[in-house]
Amino acid sequence: MPLIALYRRFKSPVFWMTLLVVYGLAIMPADQAPSLGAGDKVNHIAAFFVLTLLGRTAYRSVAAWRLATGLSLFGILIELTQAIPALRRDASVWDWVADSAAILVALGAALIVERLRRR
């Protein structure tokens, strides 16, 4: 079975598993968490860009604004969790802004591609 066919079959579980992995990485102590090497904001942008594309692919029937809102709230959950001192993480409203910006850019790109495919 080609990889794309496999993904189409399991796109919803792939989205949820990715969401759980992102959350797990976000709550790891900062000194143990893997990084893309370009800074914390790049990690946030990459994670939420990918989550948005996976979410849009898995749940096309869900209104785009609902997906964006849900993922943005997930970003807030991450920041609230990172505010727990025992986790040795830094919560920042700017991380949530980066998350939300990535969501909007990815969703905009996905919607443009969807519109072009319909032509």
Side-chain angles (χ1 to χ4, degrees), residues 20-31:
L20 290 174
V21 168
V22 166
Y23 187 73
L25 293 172
I27 65 171
M28 289 176 81
D31 58 343

Side-chain angles (χ1 to χ4, degrees), residues 5-78:
L6 190 63
Y7 173 71
R8 284 185 180 136
R9 185 172 183 172
F10 296 105
K11 58 190 171 189
S12 181
V14 167
F15 167 73
W16 289 106
M17 287 173 39
T18 305
L19 191 93
L20 290 174
V21 168
V22 166
Y23 187 73
L25 293 172
I27 65 171
M28 289 176 81
D31 58 343
Q32 297 174 11
S35 174
L36 295 176
D40 183 52
K41 298 297 178 280
V42 173
N43 293 335
H44 279 267
I45 290 167
F48 278 84
F49 193 89
V50 169
L51 281 172
T52 303
L53 294 180
L54 291 174
R56 184 63 187 170
T57 303
Y59 297 103
R60 280 217 174 109
S61 62
V62 173
W65 70 268
R66 287 186 188 267
L67 176 64
T69 301
L71 288 173
S72 185
L73 289 172
F74 177 63
I76 291 172
L77 172 67
I78 287 173

Side-chain angles (χ1 to χ4, degrees), residues 1 9-10 18 21 24 34 39 61 67 90 99 106-107 113-114 116:
M1 177 179 290
R9 185 172 183 172
F10 296 105
T18 305
V21 168
S61 62
L67 176 64
D90 295 320
D99 300 342
L107 198 50
V113 169
E114 289 173 18
L116 291 173

Side-chain angles (χ1 to χ4, degrees), residues 56 60 110-119:
R56 184 63 187 170
R60 280 217 174 109
L111 292 172
I112 288 169
V113 169
E114 289 173 18
R115 197 168 274 175
L116 291 173
R117 282 188 171 172
R118 278 189 242 138
R119 290 181 178 186

